[in-house]
Amino acid sequence: MRRFYEFFAGGGMARAGLGTGWTCLLANDFDAKKGASYARNWGAEHLIVDDIRNLGPDDMPGQPDLIWGSFPCQDLSLAGMGGGLKGARSGTFWPFVHHIQSLRDENRAPAVIALENVLGTLTSHKGKDFTAICRALRDLGYRFGALVMDAALFVPQSRPRLIIVAMRNDLPLPKGVTATAPQEPWHNKALCNAYDALPKAVQKHWQWWDMPQPPQRVLRFADLVEDQPKSTKWHNKSETRTLLSMMSEVNLAKVETAKASGVRMVGTIYKRTRVEHGIKVQRAEIRFDEIAGCLRTPAGGSSRQLIMVVENDSIRSRLISTRETARLMGLPETYQLPERYNEAYHLTGDGVAVPVVRHLTKHLFEQMIPAMQGQTA
């Protein structure tokens, strides 16, 4: 049985993706509400709800084969304040590194480290933050590489994320997990540019990780929509008219095209502030491409995704339901969500898509870590 630590664990979506063949030795998150959801779904035996900075060696049992870290993205995202790895939230990457160094000093370093974050990590501080992450992994004694993985390959949600995977230098590279050059769809132009900008001494430790592409996704967003959601209500006609009034001509034309299609069409909407003729205007922007927009944490009403169902002349709208957000993250129907809407939306919108972790697990992690490796707890 392979063993893992899950830092910045949230609701345990990385754990869900790893699957039943893995044993959790430690789960950690500083958010008490997320911790409550984690405990509700996975139990609290190995859960520590506290700031990562407050953990010590005694809190980290055994020798993990894998350490997963979805460290906070706020200071690395394009919407953030630009603090980068020096920011209060994304800066928790450094205590994460310190803990791995402590494990290394005790000969308990994991075989594999996986980091997940937004694509803004590649360009934060003109690439200096990405270089710092790579250099830190090198100094810990790892070879490393990165992949860009969009959840839309697996579920109907546009959610590209950067996944950095590092493997200990003293372990043999298994066949079939590396390529000699960048490979589609895992290595896009932004990632290649970030690699090119790395110092040569850091590039020497780089690997182009490779995996097979998943089968073409057949699941549509419309397949996930609830007719009678429990977490939210359908708008009345006046509220739907107000939403339509916030659309530009281009977006209204999309609605008219959906009406004329003669079939049931489901679109997703985000409210965004646009500058038109020098004036800031809030617009409702809709897409009917069978893919939901990227779920985000709710920092206000404008950041919560809405849906619109169009069938002939019938138009209905509402907030996306929390169960729909869970489905967009690939969570099973049995996953227990918080009862409060914003708590559930925050939990799912701040997580990692389960099928992304599952694909990584099957084609990288379980190839890098033999099933019988390390049996002492």
Side-chain angles (χ1 to χ4, degrees):
M1 187 74 76
R2 300 173 180 92
R3 296 152 310 174
F4 69 98
Y5 291 175
E6 186 178 8
F7 286 102
F8 315 105
M13 294 180 208
R15 180 171 183 163
L18 287 170
T20 57
W22 292 71
T23 297
C24 181
L25 299 179
L26 169 66
N28 169 244
D29 200 286
F30 83 102
D31 189 306
K33 292 178 180 178
K34 291 180 181 177
S37 289
Y38 194 104
R40 189 179 304 116
N41 286 280
W42 306 106
E45 182 182 358
H46 304 293
L47 174 66
I48 298 177
V49 179
D50 201 349
D51 192 311
I52 188 173
R53 301 175 182 89
N54 296 332
L55 301 186
D58 292 342
D59 296 315
M60 296 180 286
Q63 179 170 1
D65 298 304
L66 167 74
I67 291 184
W68 179 279
S70 294
F71 64 100
C73 67
Q74 285 88 339
D75 302 303
L76 296 168
S77 70
L78 296 178
M81 300 302 292
L85 292 182
K86 294 181 180 179
R89 297 295 305 278
S90 298
T92 50
F93 169 74
W94 297 113
F96 175 86
V97 169
H98 171 75
H99 291 321
I100 295 174
Q101 181 62 58
S102 297
L103 292 171
R104 181 187 175 197
D105 292 343
E106 297 177 1
N107 295 316
R108 295 194 290 134
V112 177
I113 301 168
L115 298 166
E116 181 256 353
N117 218 299
V118 294
L119 297 191
T121 305
L122 294 170
T123 54
S124 175
H125 287 177
K126 298 181 178 179
K128 291 180 180 178
D129 287 332
F130 182 66
T131 296
I133 292 170
C134 293
R135 186 177 285 119
L137 293 170
R138 177 201 65 181
D139 293 345
L140 286 169
Y142 288 78
R143 55 174 79 90
F144 52 84
L147 309 101
V148 173
M149 299 184 68
D150 193 340
L153 290 171
F154 308 91
V155 291
Q157 179 194 177
S158 173
R159 193 180 186 84
R161 287 295 184 266
L162 180 70
I163 311 289
I164 301 173
V165 177
M167 184 176 183
R168 245 174 40 207
N169 285 330
D170 61 318
L171 297 175
L173 271 175
K175 294 181 179 180
V177 300
T178 60
T180 57
Q183 301 290 315
E184 291 288 345
W186 314 122
H187 309 123
N188 65 4
K189 184 177 180 180
L191 177 56
C192 292
N193 289 342
Y195 165 78
D196 289 339
L198 291 173
K200 297 298 182 183
V202 178
Q203 282 185 358
K204 291 180 180 179
H205 299 265
W206 183 272
Q207 299 288 331
W208 291 108
W209 303 123
D210 195 24
M211 303 180 292
Q213 294 190 34
Q216 185 172 355
R217 174 179 54 82
V218 295
L219 189 67
R220 307 171 307 151
F221 176 64
D223 298 328
L224 307 183
V225 171
E226 296 183 292
D227 288 329
Q228 296 180 323
K230 296 180 180 179
S231 61
T232 188
K233 295 181 179 179
W234 291 97
H235 291 158
N236 58 39
K237 291 183 178 180
S238 175
E239 291 169 321
T240 298
R241 284 196 299 269
T242 297
L243 192 60
L244 289 167
S245 73
M246 297 172 64
M247 292 186 181
S248 66
E249 291 183 6
V250 170
N251 284 275
L252 283 172
K254 294 179 184 178
V255 176
E256 290 302 316
T257 300
K259 288 171 63 177
S261 70
V263 297
R264 180 174 179 263
M265 299 285 288
V266 181
T268 61
I269 299 170
Y270 267 125
K271 295 178 183 176
R272 293 186 171 93
T273 300
R274 302 299 187 191
V275 178
E276 299 178 5
H277 309 293
I279 301 173
K280 290 184 177 180
V281 180
Q282 191 176 44
R283 289 297 190 186
E285 300 181 354
I286 193 165
R287 59 192 294 173
F288 282 104
D289 57 358
E290 294 293 357
I291 299 177
C294 183
L295 293 173
R296 302 196 297 262
T297 55
S302 63
S303 69
R304 296 182 298 179
Q305 197 161 187
L306 299 103
I307 72 169
M308 180 169 281
V309 179
V310 179
E311 191 166 9
N312 298 320
D313 290 331
S314 170
I315 301 177
R316 295 193 297 165
S317 63
R318 60 168 168 80
L319 282 173
I320 192 170
S321 76
T322 56
R323 181 53 60 185
E324 288 160 353
T325 68
R327 291 170 180 172
L328 287 173
M329 296 303 291
L331 286 165
E333 296 296 295
T334 53
Y335 189 91
Q336 299 180 58
L337 294 166
E339 291 186 6
R340 293 179 180 271
Y341 183 93
N342 274 5
E343 287 182 22
Y345 197 108
H346 191 278
L347 182 78
T348 53
D350 203 25
V352 56
V354 172
V356 168
V357 182
R358 183 67 244 157
H359 198 75
L360 284 163
T361 300
K362 180 178 179 180
H363 298 291
L364 282 186
F365 303 157
E366 291 180 351
Q367 304 306 311
M368 295 171 169
I369 306 167
M372 297 302 293
Q373 177 174 304
Q375 294 300 306
T376 57

